[in-house]
Amino acid sequence: MLKGNGICIHPGITCGRIFVPDTASCAPACTPWDPAAEKAQLQQALQAAKAQLSQLIEETTASLGENNARIFDMQLLMLEDASFLSHIDAQIDNGKSAAEAAKEAADGFAAQFAALDDDYMKARCADIQDLSQRLVRILCRARAQAFPDEPFIVAARDLTPSDTVRMPRERILAIVTHSGSITSHAAILARSLGIPALAGCDLPFDRLQGREMLVDCESGSCWVDPDEATKARILSKRQPEKETQPELLIYKDRPAVTKSGRRIGVYANIAFPEEARTALLHGAEGIGLMRSEFLYLGREDAPTEDELFCAYRTVAECMQGRCVIIRTLDAGADKALPYLGLEKEENPALGLRGVRICLANHALFRTQLRAIYRASCYGNLWMMFPLISSVWEVQQVRSLCRQVRQELMHEGIACRDIPLGIMVETPAAALISDALARHADFFSVGTNDLTQYTLAADRQNAALGRYADAHHPAVFRLLAMVAENAHRAHIPVGLCGTLSSDFSVTQQLLQMGFDELSTVPEHILPLKKIICESEVPYEGIPVCDPR
Ligand code: PEP
Ligand code: MG
């Protein structure tokens, strides 16, 4: 019996077979190596890549003209290149999986191109890498369907939100990882899906496939091949599904008003449209953060305008006039979108992330903006932009929003002039929040990133514990500054990071003047109770509630 310890991400006790997904290398997870099968998969992947590229060329020709579409020619040529293909075959004969072989052959070709004394040829490295990623993605997807039929425990060193989104979520009993922390996105997703999860576990993940695991997220422990006595002892602690306490239920349809008469919006954070219903059942007065990027993860290509429109319309209608704040695509860092073909970064959390990706890819951004504006007539939608650090970014996104709205109106499509706010989650945004407030209709503070960037403590790293402290006075000074600057400019200020679930600081947040707190649905009722019992006076500048 092997024991591991970690930090609790989402509570629960369970036991089941381990499934170690193939996340990083895409090598087959403990399946015997069969070169003929690998080569057959490779042939299918080559055909699929050709079909994808032909479609891309067609779409790019239609939108940007033939010349721009020629950037994909190189990839198509490589797919037919005898030398490239024989290198992949040779790697497979050497014992590699098709995905590993394709990657290694492409890396070798890219290195040769990079060494050439010709700028044009050097620049072709990016095309080869793009093709390699395309092939690996297709091959991974072929394998990704091989999930166990029975419910299973996912155990992995690293697990990105995309990995989780790709799995059959209804069959996941628990998630156990080495990477991640309470505020990492994979953890946020596990909580959102209600899956018991542990992070920071040091286990020999490459030797766990198919073994039995007992997971106790209450105590933060797990056991591989547990003995019967341990199983009986831990499983006996399991409680039947908790009913909502009656003293909390009275807050379900009540607004949260402090004893001094201040009304605070208590909203829900969601990732998927279907969670809006859960939010309502838990008494949410609105959606304070819809992490829209989850609609983009775990797929081969970006969602279409219609797909997005349907998702936003579903949430807007479900919330029946209550405020729904959609955060525009916050991809990058641990939420990579391979189909965007972005270059690998040394420090992705400090790289092309959040609004930066959208400002670098207008076509992608406009599709989302059109979908949000089209859905705006079906409810009370607001929109906010992630990872803002400068005024010019807000000016640019506002200008794009104006253009998209005008375009839709010219097409005869009705849309509303919805509030446009920003997330304050970089120290820069907090420090210039007085200036930003002149360009934003509201603020919502993301304490997960604000903490990570203020304290230089990676939110993905479970070992940083004490360093990634959202209670740090530096973070609190920034929070107070943001709330004050928002009110000076007469705009509302909310908080949608994990700190909103930390009831030990709710009074302080109210004292600072936060107008709205957005949290996971199951924390809404206890949060409303604390607010209704709060005697904390607020002496700052009052703000009119535009909701
Ligand atoms: C945050 O950073 O606090 C936030 C709410 O955004 P996310 O956790 O999705 O990065
Ligand atoms: Mg954030």
Side-chain angles (χ1 to χ4, degrees):
M1 182 166 78
L2 184 66
K3 187 173 178 208
N5 289 308
I7 49 170
C8 171
I9 298 298
H10 192 73
I13 294 175
T14 188
C15 188
R17 291 274 148 216
I18 298 174
F19 175 68
V20 183
D22 191 18
T23 52
S25 68
C26 288
C30 287
T31 49
W33 169 72
D34 172 358
E38 296 299 330
K39 286 183 185 173
Q41 280 203 15
L42 175 68
Q43 285 310 319
Q44 284 174 6
L46 293 171
Q47 293 311 321
K50 264 185 214 160
Q52 282 184 6
L53 284 165
S54 307
Q55 193 182 339
L56 257 177
I57 290 173
E58 218 173 276
E59 285 170 8
T60 313
T61 308
S63 57
L64 298 169
E66 210 170 315
N67 267 352
N68 285 313
R70 302 199 64 168
I71 54 173
F72 300 110
D73 284 357
M74 167 78 177
Q75 295 193 45
L76 270 180
L77 283 174
M78 285 291 289
L79 284 174
E80 312 246 309
D81 185 279
S83 161
F84 178 58
L85 298 179
S86 69
H87 267 79
I88 305 182
D89 273 354
Q91 297 283 1
I92 294 179
D93 289 334
N94 281 340
K96 299 275 165 47
S97 69
E100 285 174 316
K103 185 171 181 323
E104 290 208 17
D107 285 349
F109 270 70
Q112 283 176 27
F113 275 62
L116 294 175
D117 203 11
D118 175 337
D119 285 346
Y120 176 80
M121 294 313 269
K122 271 196 174 79
R124 302 287 64 79
C125 287
D127 296 329
I128 299 175
Q129 297 298 4
D130 191 18
L131 177 64
S132 146
Q133 282 170 10
R134 186 179 302 283
L135 287 171
V136 168
R137 257 187 341 256
I138 294 169
L139 287 159
C140 287
R141 195 172 163 224
R143 296 189 192 287
Q145 285 149 15
F147 292 110
D149 293 331
E150 295 298 315
F152 55 90
I153 292 174
V154 181
R157 225 187 135 68
D158 301 300
L159 195 72
T160 65
S162 305
D163 297 327
T164 316
V165 165
R166 246 184 243 122
M167 293 184 197
R169 305 193 287 264
E170 66 294 343
R171 297 209 292 279
I172 305 179
L173 292 170
I175 297 177
V176 176
T177 57
H178 174 70
S179 69
S181 70
I182 196 91
T183 61
S184 64
H185 288 108
I188 287 168
L189 186 56
R191 276 200 296 275
S192 182
L193 299 170
I195 301 173
L198 284 184
C201 286
D202 216 354
L203 290 167
F205 288 97
D206 53 343
R207 288 190 277 119
L208 299 185
Q209 192 71 265
R211 290 164 74 177
E212 189 178 33
M213 184 180 258
L214 173 66
V215 185
D216 176 1
C217 299
E218 320 288 327
S219 71
S221 298
C222 59
W223 294 261
V224 180
D225 304 330
D227 59 38
E228 288 307 315
T230 311
K231 244 162 82 174
R233 179 170 56 83
I234 300 298
L235 291 178
S236 70
K237 292 199 304 178
R238 213 157 34 174
Q239 308 268 356
E241 187 104 337
K242 267 195 221 142
E243 297 266 307
T244 309
Q245 296 153 357
E247 72 265 26
L248 288 181
L249 274 178
I250 57 167
Y251 296 100
K252 184 166 170 282
D253 299 314
R254 260 196 212 174
V257 182
T258 63
K259 288 235 158 34
S260 59
R262 219 173 134 240
R263 183 167 173 179
I264 309 292
V266 180
Y267 290 8
N269 291 349
I270 63 168
F272 301 101
E274 31 318 346
E275 288 174 86
R277 191 175 306 278
T278 318
L280 278 183
L281 290 174
H282 282 87
E285 297 175 280
I287 302 295
L289 168 64
M290 177 171 182
R291 288 184 163 97
S292 71
E293 58 277 9
F294 285 96
L295 299 170
Y296 289 72
L297 296 178
R299 326 172 26 125
E300 292 294 298
D301 38 31
T304 62
E305 181 183 317
D306 279 346
E307 276 177 81
L308 294 172
F309 162 70
C310 286
Y312 303 145
R313 178 180 167 169
T314 302
V315 181
E317 287 182 335
C318 179
M319 293 308 289
Q320 300 158 18
R322 294 173 185 84
C323 167
V324 173
I325 304 180
I326 299 181
R327 170 173 77 188
T328 56
L329 177 65
D330 185 16
D334 58 326
K335 292 177 289 191
L337 301 179
Y339 51 80
L340 295 185
L342 300 173
E343 274 183 33
K344 192 173 174 311
E345 296 173 305
E346 288 298 326
N347 286 307
L350 302 180
L352 211 52
R353 235 207 95 177
V355 78
R356 299 172 187 180
I357 286 193
C358 292
L359 288 176
N361 190 335
H362 280 196
L364 180 81
F365 197 25
R366 291 174 79 92
T367 302
Q368 183 176 34
L369 295 180
R370 281 181 61 95
I372 295 174
Y373 274 115
R374 278 175 58 194
S376 66
C377 288
Y378 295 87
N380 181 11
L381 291 191
W382 295 26
M383 180 166 21
M384 71 176 169
F385 309 101
L387 211 78
I388 292 292
S389 50
S390 302
V391 168
W392 66 263
E393 294 164 320
V394 190
Q395 288 170 326
Q396 280 200 8
V397 291
R398 289 192 80 105
S399 149
L400 278 167
C401 287
R402 256 193 314 275
Q403 285 171 26
V404 164
R405 229 184 121 229
Q406 274 165 9
E407 187 179 285
L408 285 168
M409 290 192 306
H410 275 128
E411 291 169 30
I413 300 172
C415 52
R416 290 199 178 143
D417 185 13
I418 60 180
L420 304 177
I422 63 163
M423 290 204 66
V424 178
E425 47 185 356
T426 63
L431 291 166
I432 60 161
S433 48
D434 53 343
L436 287 169
R438 291 195 280 277
H439 302 268
D441 299 325
F442 65 98
F443 283 163
S444 183
V445 183
T447 48
N448 304 332
D449 277 314
L450 188 62
T451 305
Q452 140 164 288
Y453 293 126
T454 304
L455 303 174
D458 182 358
R459 60 192 278 192
Q460 294 300 111
N461 188 339
L464 286 178
R466 284 183 70 182
Y467 294 99
D469 175 15
H471 292 192
H472 193 289
V475 177
F476 268 60
R477 281 193 201 181
L478 293 176
L479 293 180
M481 184 186 287
V482 174
E484 186 177 336
N485 283 330
H487 289 170
R488 276 189 197 289
H490 302 288
I491 62 168
V493 56
L495 190 151
C496 61
T498 307
L499 197 68
S500 58
S501 287
D502 181 344
F503 304 142
S504 70
V505 298
T506 308
Q507 303 291 342
Q508 274 169 280
L509 298 177
L510 296 181
Q511 221 153 14
M512 286 180 200
F514 280 90
D515 303 298
E516 171 247 307
L517 299 173
S518 190
T519 183
V520 286
E522 64 261 40
H523 286 163
I524 288 175
L525 289 176
L527 184 56
K528 277 183 160 180
K529 179 171 189 280
I530 292 176
I531 293 169
C532 290
E533 289 172 354
S534 167
E535 311 221 359
V536 183
Y538 169 63
E539 277 146 15
I541 306 160
V543 64
C544 59
D545 184 354
R547 287 163 203 137

